[in-house]
Amino acid sequence: MIKTLTRTATLFVAVVALNALAGFGAPAQAAGERCRVADECHGALPQLCKRCPGGRDGCAHWACVHHRCVIAYCERMH
């Protein structure tokens, strides 16, 4: 069991390190480009879902917030 957990933790650290080197968390747009709607945002998205307020699940998608592309999980509450 400990061996399996150690292997899983090592793989997780490796994935995080590779994503950081690849600029995974970097904005999908070059500096100076601005979005008006989420359809203008492009790039790799993590294959993750999270539990949102209200009990629903929200999966990674692009959102345009203050004219910048960001990765969002939950729908914005108005």
Side-chain angles (χ1 to χ4, degrees):
M1 170 114 172
I2 299 292
K3 193 174 197 177
T4 302
L5 289 174
T6 302
R7 187 178 320 142
T8 303
T10 302
L11 287 173
F12 178 75
V13 169
V15 168
V16 169
L18 286 173
N19 284 337
L21 288 173
F24 186 71
Q29 299 171 308
E33 289 186 56
R34 298 166 60 92
C35 63
R36 289 177 283 129
V37 293
D39 289 342
E40 296 173 346
C41 303
H42 303 284
L45 287 170
Q47 299 297 306
L48 296 174
C49 297
K50 295 183 178 182
R51 179 75 59 186
C52 298
R56 291 189 165 189
D57 288 335
C59 296
H61 62 276
W62 286 114
C64 183
V65 178
H66 301 293
H67 301 288
R68 297 196 62 170
C69 292
V70 297
I71 296 173
Y73 293 91
C74 301
E75 297 297 324
R76 291 179 66 176
M77 304 300 250
H78 296 281

